[in-house]
Amino acid sequence: MIEQRLSELKRNQAQGEQQLLTLDAQKRELQATLQRISGAITVLEELLASPDTPD
């Protein structure tokens, strides 16, 4: 019974670690996407602020 529980806990731990790795990768991808969006917003705001830029 103890060995079975130990095996189950180890399995759960491995699954949790894998999920954490996946979430970390997703976080990095989302941060990169948000950085690109922020850059695009900055460029568009600068274009709007420029008096000689057509709408």
Side-chain angles (χ1 to χ4, degrees):
M1 178 124 175
I2 294 175
E3 289 176 359
Q4 182 181 358
R5 181 65 176 144
L6 178 60
S7 178
E8 181 182 335
L9 288 172
K10 286 183 177 184
R11 211 172 26 254
N12 288 343
Q13 182 182 30
Q15 289 172 345
E17 289 171 352
Q18 184 58 48
Q19 283 181 319
L20 188 58
L21 289 173
T22 300
L23 289 172
D24 284 341
Q26 289 175 344
K27 180 180 177 183
R28 284 191 302 274
E29 290 173 17
L30 183 55
Q31 286 173 326
T33 298
L34 289 173
Q35 191 171 14
R36 286 193 297 276
I37 291 169
S38 178
I41 288 171
T42 300
V43 168
L44 293 176
E45 287 175 339
E46 289 173 1
L47 288 173
L48 282 174
S50 177
D52 59 334
T53 304
D55 288 338

